[in-house]
Amino acid sequence: MKIVKVATYRVPPRWLFLAVSTDEGITGWGEPVVEGRAETVQTAVAELSDYLIGSDPLRIEDTWQVLTKGGFYRGGPVLSSAVAGIDQALWDIAGKVHNVPVYDLLGGPVRDRVRIYGWIGGDRPTALAEDAERQVAAGLTAVKMNGSEELTAIDTPRQLDRLVERVTAVRDVLGPDRDLAVDFHGRYSPAMARRALPLLEPLRPMFVEEPVVPELSADIGRIAAGTSIPIATGERLYSRWDFRDILGAGVAVVQPDLSHAGGISEVRRIAAMAEAYGVSLAPHCPLGPIALAACIQVDVATPNFLIQEQSLGIHYNVGSDLLDYLADRSVFSARDGHLDRPTGPGLGIEIDEAEVRRAAEHPHRWRSAIWRHTDGSLAEW
């Protein structure tokens, strides 16, 4: 079997889909994208396809090694995301060839269902409590919210008060039997993070995510040592070597993104590394159905899995949503805050290729927001 075609589709709201076709009529799907840089990743996939065409799709590990290490310049979000989508598609093909879910090829399931959480916003709060109530009514047992808007390096006491007020409003809705995660989104300086985290301890978040930007990962240990709240990070780390530097520093949860961190192959290795440090896995996934399907395959086969992010109804999904490109939407039907272990071959989903092609006729140009402080300087988004 040989790869004969590699095609990409830039579809709303902000996703990039990839189809890898073989001479035996089997197609694997992946989702390689950097949010706001979809065209750049699309070009990277086209460059890598020069190697893929004519190669054996079942040599997944060898392909991963060649695509990541076969060039003199390595790593970074664009290349790692392009490789991630290709890797997802190759695992999808392998599962379809053997007529088993990908998790069976990873050693088999260690759980029967996957716990998920939903987003409720928070950085521009209008109806946080109502949004939390809506997620509870949908059966979710956990939600995540942004903690704040833009912040200066050492902001005012009022900003800290707003953080506590927002998180308290959501905790009051959830009560003690549901979980709440708070995303700092890298907007806090190390000084502000150390100030803010103790204030949230009485509200018992499941974790606080990305208290500082990844460039300041060397400060994670000091931040974690100053609070009882579990610290999560990793959505902007792209390889096991990136994670090597934070494991053992006090991080409780790692959050590699299967569309950014080298795909199923690499995230599986990152999870195993984390397990050796007593650290849980909670894959980052505010993206589309293929990325989520890849995450679930890893979640089912990973002993130290904690919880899975998913994007249904997230504020980024304007014009299209998580289920719009699936032939069978029931595969992502949640029950009691969990998704049942999928049983279909490969990634366990069937993409509506006609709908993907139609949507790609009007490709998106989604860009990250640009925030500025009151003095006109750039603020972390």
Side-chain angles (χ1 to χ4, degrees):
M1 184 166 55
K2 303 295 181 184
I3 294 172
V4 296
K5 183 179 180 182
V6 177
T8 52
Y9 305 93
R10 191 155 33 99
V11 298
R14 58 176 191 160
W15 304 331
L16 180 66
F17 292 171
L18 162 71
V20 176
S21 302
T22 71
D23 58 355
E24 295 188 9
I26 298 174
T27 296
W29 288 87
E31 193 169 333
V33 70
V34 173
E35 298 93 305
R37 298 289 185 268
E39 298 98 317
T40 309
V41 179
Q42 199 167 22
T43 299
V45 171
E47 291 175 343
L48 295 175
S49 69
D50 290 348
Y51 173 79
L52 294 172
I53 299 300
S55 69
D56 181 352
L58 298 184
R59 295 190 64 176
I60 298 173
E61 183 59 32
D62 184 67
T63 298
W64 193 95
Q65 294 291 329
V66 169
L67 296 185
T68 58
K69 301 177 182 178
F72 187 71
Y73 299 99
R74 305 174 181 180
V78 171
L79 177 59
S80 295
S81 298
V83 172
I86 293 167
D87 185 79
Q88 293 169 10
L90 298 187
W91 280 104
D92 193 28
I93 290 171
K96 290 172 179 176
V97 166
H98 297 289
N99 197 32
V100 295
V102 168
Y103 59 73
D104 273 351
L105 303 178
L106 299 177
V110 298
R111 59 182 46 83
D112 296 322
R113 57 183 192 156
V114 170
R115 191 184 184 201
I116 59 174
Y117 67 82
W119 264 95
I120 58 171
D123 48 17
R124 296 289 188 262
T126 54
L128 273 176
E130 291 84 352
D131 289 343
E133 288 170 352
R134 175 174 50 83
Q135 297 285 21
V136 170
L140 292 187
T141 63
V143 301
K144 187 168 80 175
M145 61 180 288
N146 277 316
S148 66
E149 58 273 85
E150 54 269 55
L151 295 171
T152 60
I154 301 177
D155 220 308
T156 63
R158 181 58 185 145
Q159 286 286 23
L160 295 170
D161 292 342
R162 286 174 179 159
L163 168 66
V164 175
E165 289 165 5
R166 292 170 184 176
V167 178
T168 298
V170 177
R171 171 54 74 198
D172 287 345
V173 171
L174 298 178
D177 296 320
R178 297 181 181 88
D179 280 313
L180 167 61
V182 183
D183 191 352
F184 278 14
H185 221 248
R187 295 169 188 165
Y188 287 67
S189 68
M192 278 295 289
R194 290 196 299 272
R195 240 186 189 182
L197 287 165
L199 301 178
L200 295 182
E201 288 179 0
L203 298 168
R204 291 172 289 177
M206 177 168 55
F207 56 76
V208 163
E209 177 176 331
E210 237 188 1
V212 294
V213 291
E215 301 95 293
L216 298 177
S217 291
D219 288 295
I220 286 287
R222 288 193 299 144
I223 292 169
T227 181
S228 65
I229 297 174
I231 299 300
T233 195
E235 68 185 66
R236 290 186 276 182
L237 302 178
Y238 310 115
S239 74
R240 77 197 91 151
W241 293 278
D242 290 343
F243 281 91
R244 181 185 62 177
D245 295 332
I246 64 165
L247 290 170
V251 171
V253 182
V254 291
Q255 301 173 294
D257 189 309
L258 271 86
S259 284
H260 299 329
I264 290 170
S265 295
E266 185 71 346
V267 171
R268 174 75 165 165
R269 291 186 280 257
I270 292 167
M273 286 176 62
E275 186 180 11
Y277 290 87
V279 173
S280 298
L281 176 77
H284 179 255
C285 190
L287 293 170
I290 304 171
L292 179 58
C295 287
I296 292 170
Q297 296 295 325
V298 171
D299 300 340
V300 167
T302 300
N304 54 323
F305 165 75
L306 177 67
I307 196 167
Q308 178 62 57
E309 180 175 28
Q310 51 84 36
S311 74
L312 186 62
I314 199 171
H315 48 289
Y316 301 121
N317 293 355
V318 177
S320 297
D321 213 328
L322 178 67
L323 307 179
D324 290 355
Y325 300 105
L326 294 175
D328 178 9
R329 300 183 176 195
S330 66
V331 69
F332 289 148
S333 295
R335 182 168 53 89
D336 300 326
H338 292 73
L339 297 176
D340 288 334
R341 172 165 55 88
T343 58
L347 295 180
I349 58 173
E350 181 182 353
I351 294 297
D352 185 341
E353 188 168 351
E355 179 60 20
V356 170
R357 291 179 179 275
R358 185 201 63 77
E361 293 176 359
H362 305 283
H364 68 85
R365 286 183 62 85
W366 189 90
R367 295 293 183 264
S368 299
I370 300 297
W371 284 1
R372 293 191 180 274
H373 296 297
T374 55
D375 66 359
S377 61
L378 183 69
E380 286 288 348
W381 172 72

Short mmCIF file of all heavy atoms in Angstrom, two decimals, residues 182-233:
data_model
loop_
_atom_site.label_atom_id
_atom_site.label_comp_id
_atom_site.label_asym_id
_atom_site.label_seq_id
_atom_site.Cartn_x
_atom_site.Cartn_y
_atom_site.Cartn_z
N VAL A 182 -9.58 26.81 35.89
CA VAL A 182 -9.41 28.23 35.59
C VAL A 182 -8.19 28.40 34.71
O VAL A 182 -7.09 27.97 35.06
CB VAL A 182 -9.25 29.06 36.89
CG1 VAL A 182 -9.15 30.55 36.53
CG2 VAL A 182 -10.42 28.82 37.83
N ASP A 183 -8.39 29.02 33.55
CA ASP A 183 -7.31 29.21 32.58
C ASP A 183 -6.76 30.63 32.73
O ASP A 183 -7.47 31.60 32.50
CB ASP A 183 -7.85 29.00 31.17
CG ASP A 183 -6.75 28.92 30.12
OD1 ASP A 183 -5.59 29.19 30.47
OD2 ASP A 183 -7.07 28.61 28.96
N PHE A 184 -5.48 30.74 33.11
CA PHE A 184 -4.83 32.04 33.17
C PHE A 184 -4.30 32.47 31.79
O PHE A 184 -3.93 33.61 31.60
CB PHE A 184 -3.68 32.02 34.18
CG PHE A 184 -4.11 32.20 35.61
CD1 PHE A 184 -5.44 32.08 36.00
CD2 PHE A 184 -3.17 32.48 36.59
CE1 PHE A 184 -5.83 32.24 37.33
CE2 PHE A 184 -3.54 32.65 37.91
CZ PHE A 184 -4.87 32.53 38.28
N HIS A 185 -4.24 31.55 30.85
CA HIS A 185 -3.95 31.83 29.43
C HIS A 185 -2.62 32.55 29.23
O HIS A 185 -2.43 33.25 28.22
CB HIS A 185 -5.10 32.65 28.81
CG HIS A 185 -5.45 32.21 27.43
ND1 HIS A 185 -5.23 32.99 26.32
CD2 HIS A 185 -6.04 31.07 26.98
CE1 HIS A 185 -5.65 32.36 25.24
NE2 HIS A 185 -6.15 31.19 25.61
N GLY A 186 -1.69 32.38 30.17
CA GLY A 186 -0.41 33.05 30.06
C GLY A 186 -0.47 34.55 30.23
O GLY A 186 0.50 35.25 29.92
N ARG A 187 -1.57 35.06 30.75
CA ARG A 187 -1.74 36.51 30.89
C ARG A 187 -1.12 37.06 32.17
O ARG A 187 -0.99 38.27 32.32
CB ARG A 187 -3.23 36.86 30.86
CG ARG A 187 -3.88 36.56 29.52
CD ARG A 187 -5.40 36.64 29.58
NE ARG A 187 -5.97 36.16 28.31
CZ ARG A 187 -7.23 35.83 28.14
NH1 ARG A 187 -8.09 35.93 29.16
NH2 ARG A 187 -7.66 35.41 26.96
N TYR A 188 -0.74 36.17 33.07
CA TYR A 188 -0.19 36.59 34.35
C TYR A 188 1.33 36.59 34.31
O TYR A 188 1.93 35.67 33.76
CB TYR A 188 -0.67 35.66 35.47
CG TYR A 188 -2.13 35.84 35.84
CD1 TYR A 188 -3.14 35.51 34.94
CD2 TYR A 188 -2.49 36.33 37.08
CE1 TYR A 188 -4.47 35.68 35.27
CE2 TYR A 188 -3.83 36.50 37.43
CZ TYR A 188 -4.81 36.18 36.52
OH TYR A 188 -6.13 36.35 36.85
N SER A 189 1.93 37.59 34.90
CA SER A 189 3.37 37.54 35.14
C SER A 189 3.62 36.58 36.30
O SER A 189 2.69 36.24 37.04
CB SER A 189 3.88 38.93 35.49
OG SER A 189 3.37 39.34 36.76
N PRO A 190 4.84 36.10 36.48
CA PRO A 190 5.10 35.25 37.65
C PRO A 190 4.69 35.92 38.96
O PRO A 190 4.14 35.26 39.85
CB PRO A 190 6.62 35.02 37.57
CG PRO A 190 6.93 35.11 36.11
CD PRO A 190 6.02 36.18 35.59
N ALA A 191 4.93 37.22 39.08
CA ALA A 191 4.55 37.93 40.31
C ALA A 191 3.05 37.94 40.52
O ALA A 191 2.54 37.69 41.63
CB ALA A 191 5.10 39.36 40.28
N MET A 192 2.28 38.21 39.43
CA MET A 192 0.82 38.24 39.55
C MET A 192 0.26 36.84 39.81
O MET A 192 -0.71 36.67 40.55
CB MET A 192 0.20 38.82 38.29
CG MET A 192 0.19 40.34 38.25
SD MET A 192 -0.86 41.08 39.54
CE MET A 192 -2.50 40.67 38.94
N ALA A 193 0.87 35.83 39.19
CA ALA A 193 0.41 34.45 39.41
C ALA A 193 0.59 34.05 40.87
O ALA A 193 -0.32 33.46 41.48
CB ALA A 193 1.17 33.49 38.50
N ARG A 194 1.75 34.39 41.45
CA ARG A 194 1.97 34.04 42.85
C ARG A 194 1.02 34.79 43.78
O ARG A 194 0.64 34.28 44.83
CB ARG A 194 3.43 34.32 43.23
CG ARG A 194 4.41 33.37 42.56
CD ARG A 194 5.79 33.42 43.24
NE ARG A 194 6.39 34.75 43.17
CZ ARG A 194 7.14 35.17 42.16
NH1 ARG A 194 7.37 34.37 41.12
NH2 ARG A 194 7.68 36.38 42.18
N ARG A 195 0.62 35.98 43.40
CA ARG A 195 -0.35 36.74 44.17
C ARG A 195 -1.76 36.14 44.06
O ARG A 195 -2.50 36.07 45.03
CB ARG A 195 -0.40 38.18 43.63
CG ARG A 195 -0.05 39.25 44.62
CD ARG A 195 -0.29 40.61 43.98
NE ARG A 195 0.25 41.67 44.82
CZ ARG A 195 0.14 42.95 44.53
NH1 ARG A 195 -0.45 43.32 43.42
NH2 ARG A 195 0.64 43.85 45.35
N ALA A 196 -2.13 35.74 42.83
CA ALA A 196 -3.51 35.35 42.57
C ALA A 196 -3.85 33.94 43.06
O ALA A 196 -4.95 33.70 43.56
CB ALA A 196 -3.78 35.44 41.06
N LEU A 197 -2.94 33.00 42.89
CA LEU A 197 -3.26 31.60 43.18
C LEU A 197 -3.72 31.36 44.61
O LEU A 197 -4.73 30.66 44.83
CB LEU A 197 -2.07 30.71 42.82
CG LEU A 197 -1.86 30.53 41.31
CD1 LEU A 197 -0.48 29.97 41.03
CD2 LEU A 197 -2.94 29.65 40.71
N PRO A 198 -3.06 31.90 45.65
CA PRO A 198 -3.57 31.66 47.01
C PRO A 198 -4.98 32.18 47.24
O PRO A 198 -5.72 31.62 48.05
CB PRO A 198 -2.55 32.41 47.89
CG PRO A 198 -1.30 32.45 47.07
CD PRO A 198 -1.77 32.63 45.66
N LEU A 199 -5.38 33.22 46.49
CA LEU A 199 -6.72 33.75 46.65
C LEU A 199 -7.79 32.78 46.14
O LEU A 199 -8.94 32.84 46.57
CB LEU A 199 -6.85 35.09 45.90
CG LEU A 199 -5.87 36.19 46.34
CD1 LEU A 199 -6.07 37.44 45.48
CD2 LEU A 199 -6.08 36.53 47.82
N LEU A 200 -7.40 31.92 45.20
CA LEU A 200 -8.35 30.96 44.63
C LEU A 200 -8.41 29.65 45.41
O LEU A 200 -9.31 28.83 45.16
CB LEU A 200 -7.98 30.66 43.18
CG LEU A 200 -8.08 31.82 42.18
CD1 LEU A 200 -7.72 31.33 40.78
CD2 LEU A 200 -9.48 32.43 42.18
N GLU A 201 -7.50 29.42 46.32
CA GLU A 201 -7.44 28.13 47.01
C GLU A 201 -8.75 27.77 47.72
O GLU A 201 -9.17 26.61 47.67
CB GLU A 201 -6.26 28.11 47.97
CG GLU A 201 -4.93 28.03 47.25
CD GLU A 201 -3.74 28.04 48.19
OE1 GLU A 201 -3.95 28.13 49.42
OE2 GLU A 201 -2.60 27.97 47.70
N PRO A 202 -9.45 28.71 48.38
CA PRO A 202 -10.71 28.31 49.03
C PRO A 202 -11.78 27.83 48.05
O PRO A 202 -12.71 27.12 48.45
CB PRO A 202 -11.16 29.61 49.73
CG PRO A 202 -9.91 30.39 49.92
CD PRO A 202 -9.08 30.09 48.72
N LEU A 203 -11.63 28.18 46.75
CA LEU A 203 -12.62 27.79 45.74
C LEU A 203 -12.28 26.45 45.09
O LEU A 203 -13.04 25.95 44.28
CB LEU A 203 -12.73 28.88 44.68
CG LEU A 203 -13.20 30.23 45.24
CD1 LEU A 203 -13.00 31.34 44.23
CD2 LEU A 203 -14.65 30.15 45.68
N ARG A 204 -11.13 25.90 45.43
CA ARG A 204 -10.70 24.54 45.07
C ARG A 204 -10.84 24.21 43.58
O ARG A 204 -11.54 23.27 43.19
CB ARG A 204 -11.46 23.52 45.92
CG ARG A 204 -11.07 23.56 47.38
CD ARG A 204 -11.97 22.69 48.23
NE ARG A 204 -13.30 23.27 48.36
CZ ARG A 204 -14.31 22.69 49.00
NH1 ARG A 204 -14.14 21.52 49.59
NH2 ARG A 204 -15.49 23.26 49.06
N PRO A 205 -10.15 24.97 42.73
CA PRO A 205 -10.15 24.60 41.31
C PRO A 205 -9.53 23.23 41.09
O PRO A 205 -8.62 22.82 41.83
CB PRO A 205 -9.27 25.69 40.66
CG PRO A 205 -9.20 26.79 41.65
CD PRO A 205 -9.33 26.16 43.01
N MET A 206 -10.01 22.53 40.08
CA MET A 206 -9.40 21.27 39.69
C MET A 206 -7.95 21.51 39.26
O MET A 206 -7.07 20.73 39.59
CB MET A 206 -10.18 20.64 38.54
CG MET A 206 -9.60 19.36 38.01
SD MET A 206 -10.71 18.46 36.89
CE MET A 206 -11.09 19.69 35.66
N PHE A 207 -7.73 22.59 38.52
CA PHE A 207 -6.39 23.05 38.20
C PHE A 207 -6.47 24.49 37.71
O PHE A 207 -7.54 24.97 37.31
CB PHE A 207 -5.67 22.16 37.17
CG PHE A 207 -6.39 21.96 35.86
CD1 PHE A 207 -6.44 22.95 34.89
CD2 PHE A 207 -7.00 20.73 35.57
CE1 PHE A 207 -7.09 22.76 33.68
CE2 PHE A 207 -7.66 20.53 34.36
CZ PHE A 207 -7.71 21.54 33.42
N VAL A 208 -5.34 25.18 37.76
CA VAL A 208 -5.17 26.46 37.09
C VAL A 208 -4.21 26.23 35.92
O VAL A 208 -3.13 25.66 36.10
CB VAL A 208 -4.64 27.55 38.03
CG1 VAL A 208 -4.08 28.73 37.24
CG2 VAL A 208 -5.75 28.02 38.96
N GLU A 209 -4.64 26.66 34.76
CA GLU A 209 -3.94 26.36 33.51
C GLU A 209 -3.08 27.53 33.06
O GLU A 209 -3.50 28.69 33.12
CB GLU A 209 -4.97 26.02 32.44
CG GLU A 209 -4.41 25.76 31.06
CD GLU A 209 -5.50 25.34 30.10
OE1 GLU A 209 -6.51 24.75 30.53
OE2 GLU A 209 -5.35 25.62 28.89
N GLU A 210 -1.91 27.23 32.60
CA GLU A 210 -0.98 28.19 32.00
C GLU A 210 -0.89 29.49 32.80
O GLU A 210 -1.25 30.56 32.31
CB GLU A 210 -1.36 28.48 30.54
CG GLU A 210 -0.24 28.19 29.61
CD GLU A 210 -0.47 28.64 28.17
OE1 GLU A 210 -1.50 29.21 27.84
OE2 GLU A 210 0.45 28.39 27.37
N PRO A 211 -0.41 29.41 34.04
CA PRO A 211 -0.30 30.62 34.84
C PRO A 211 0.65 31.65 34.24
O PRO A 211 0.48 32.85 34.46
CB PRO A 211 0.22 30.11 36.19
CG PRO A 211 0.84 28.79 35.89
CD PRO A 211 0.05 28.22 34.77
N VAL A 212 1.63 31.20 33.47
CA VAL A 212 2.54 32.10 32.76
C VAL A 212 2.77 31.57 31.36
O VAL A 212 2.46 30.41 31.05
CB VAL A 212 3.90 32.23 33.50
CG1 VAL A 212 3.73 32.92 34.84
CG2 VAL A 212 4.58 30.88 33.65
N VAL A 213 3.28 32.42 30.49
CA VAL A 213 3.57 32.01 29.12
C VAL A 213 4.66 30.94 29.10
O VAL A 213 5.47 30.85 30.03
CB VAL A 213 4.01 33.22 28.26
CG1 VAL A 213 2.86 34.18 28.03
CG2 VAL A 213 5.20 33.93 28.89
N PRO A 214 4.69 30.12 28.06
CA PRO A 214 5.67 29.02 28.03
C PRO A 214 7.12 29.50 28.04
O PRO A 214 8.00 28.76 28.49
CB PRO A 214 5.33 28.27 26.74
CG PRO A 214 4.50 29.20 25.94
CD PRO A 214 3.77 30.05 26.91
N GLU A 215 7.38 30.72 27.58
CA GLU A 215 8.74 31.24 27.64
C GLU A 215 9.26 31.35 29.07
O GLU A 215 10.46 31.40 29.31
CB GLU A 215 8.82 32.62 26.98
CG GLU A 215 8.39 32.65 25.53
CD GLU A 215 6.93 33.04 25.36
OE1 GLU A 215 6.07 32.26 25.80
OE2 GLU A 215 6.65 34.11 24.81
N LEU A 216 8.32 31.40 30.04
CA LEU A 216 8.69 31.52 31.44
C LEU A 216 8.50 30.21 32.19
O LEU A 216 8.30 30.20 33.41
CB LEU A 216 7.86 32.64 32.11
CG LEU A 216 8.05 34.04 31.53
CD1 LEU A 216 7.14 35.04 32.22
CD2 LEU A 216 9.51 34.49 31.66
N SER A 217 8.59 29.10 31.48
CA SER A 217 8.39 27.79 32.11
C SER A 217 9.37 27.54 33.25
O SER A 217 9.08 26.76 34.16
CB SER A 217 8.51 26.67 31.06
OG SER A 217 7.43 26.71 30.16
N ALA A 218 10.53 28.18 33.22
CA ALA A 218 11.50 27.99 34.30
C ALA A 218 10.95 28.48 35.64
O ALA A 218 11.46 28.10 36.69
CB ALA A 218 12.80 28.72 33.97
N ASP A 219 9.92 29.33 35.61
CA ASP A 219 9.31 29.84 36.85
C ASP A 219 8.20 28.94 37.38
O ASP A 219 7.66 29.22 38.46
CB ASP A 219 8.75 31.24 36.61
CG ASP A 219 9.85 32.28 36.46
OD1 ASP A 219 10.58 32.51 37.44
OD2 ASP A 219 9.99 32.84 35.36
N ILE A 220 7.81 27.90 36.62
CA ILE A 220 6.69 27.06 37.02
C ILE A 220 6.93 26.43 38.40
O ILE A 220 6.00 26.34 39.22
CB ILE A 220 6.44 25.96 35.97
CG1 ILE A 220 5.77 26.56 34.73
CG2 ILE A 220 5.59 24.84 36.52
CD1 ILE A 220 4.33 26.96 34.90
N GLY A 221 8.13 26.01 38.68
CA GLY A 221 8.42 25.38 39.96
C GLY A 221 8.15 26.30 41.13
O GLY A 221 7.52 25.90 42.11
N ARG A 222 8.61 27.54 41.03
CA ARG A 222 8.37 28.50 42.13
C ARG A 222 6.89 28.80 42.28
O ARG A 222 6.39 28.95 43.40
CB ARG A 222 9.13 29.80 41.85
CG ARG A 222 10.63 29.69 42.02
CD ARG A 222 11.26 31.07 42.04
NE ARG A 222 11.01 31.79 40.79
CZ ARG A 222 10.79 33.10 40.70
NH1 ARG A 222 10.75 33.84 41.79
NH2 ARG A 222 10.62 33.67 39.54
N ILE A 223 6.18 28.87 41.15
CA ILE A 223 4.75 29.16 41.21
C ILE A 223 4.00 27.99 41.84
O ILE A 223 3.15 28.18 42.72
CB ILE A 223 4.22 29.47 39.79
CG1 ILE A 223 4.81 30.79 39.30
CG2 ILE A 223 2.70 29.50 39.77
CD1 ILE A 223 4.57 31.06 37.83
N ALA A 224 4.32 26.78 41.41
CA ALA A 224 3.64 25.61 41.96
C ALA A 224 3.93 25.43 43.44
O ALA A 224 3.06 24.99 44.21
CB ALA A 224 4.06 24.35 41.18
N ALA A 225 5.14 25.77 43.87
CA ALA A 225 5.51 25.61 45.27
C ALA A 225 4.76 26.57 46.18
O ALA A 225 4.67 26.33 47.40
CB ALA A 225 7.01 25.81 45.45
N GLY A 226 4.18 27.62 45.62
CA GLY A 226 3.50 28.62 46.42
C GLY A 226 2.01 28.44 46.55
O GLY A 226 1.33 29.32 47.09
N THR A 227 1.48 27.30 46.07
CA THR A 227 0.04 27.10 46.13
C THR A 227 -0.29 25.63 46.24
O THR A 227 0.48 24.76 45.82
CB THR A 227 -0.65 27.69 44.87
OG1 THR A 227 -2.07 27.50 44.97
CG2 THR A 227 -0.14 27.01 43.60
N SER A 228 -1.46 25.33 46.80
CA SER A 228 -1.96 23.96 46.84
C SER A 228 -2.76 23.61 45.60
O SER A 228 -3.15 22.46 45.41
CB SER A 228 -2.83 23.76 48.09
OG SER A 228 -4.00 24.57 48.01
N ILE A 229 -3.05 24.60 44.74
CA ILE A 229 -3.84 24.35 43.53
C ILE A 229 -2.98 23.59 42.52
O ILE A 229 -1.85 24.00 42.23
CB ILE A 229 -4.32 25.68 42.92
CG1 ILE A 229 -5.26 26.41 43.88
CG2 ILE A 229 -5.03 25.43 41.59
CD1 ILE A 229 -5.66 27.79 43.41
N PRO A 230 -3.49 22.51 41.93
CA PRO A 230 -2.73 21.83 40.88
C PRO A 230 -2.49 22.76 39.69
O PRO A 230 -3.40 23.49 39.26
CB PRO A 230 -3.66 20.66 40.49
CG PRO A 230 -4.52 20.44 41.71
CD PRO A 230 -4.74 21.80 42.29
N ILE A 231 -1.29 22.75 39.18
CA ILE A 231 -0.91 23.59 38.04
C ILE A 231 -0.88 22.73 36.78
O ILE A 231 -0.30 21.64 36.75
CB ILE A 231 0.47 24.24 38.26
CG1 ILE A 231 0.44 25.14 39.50
CG2 ILE A 231 0.89 25.04 37.03
CD1 ILE A 231 -0.56 26.27 39.45
N ALA A 232 -1.52 23.25 35.73
CA ALA A 232 -1.56 22.58 34.42
C ALA A 232 -0.90 23.47 33.38
O ALA A 232 -1.02 24.69 33.43
CB ALA A 232 -3.00 22.27 34.02
N THR A 233 -0.24 22.86 32.43
CA THR A 233 0.37 23.62 31.34
C THR A 233 0.73 22.68 30.21
O THR A 233 0.74 21.46 30.38
CB THR A 233 1.61 24.40 31.82
OG1 THR A 233 1.96 25.39 30.85
CG2 THR A 233 2.80 23.48 32.05
#
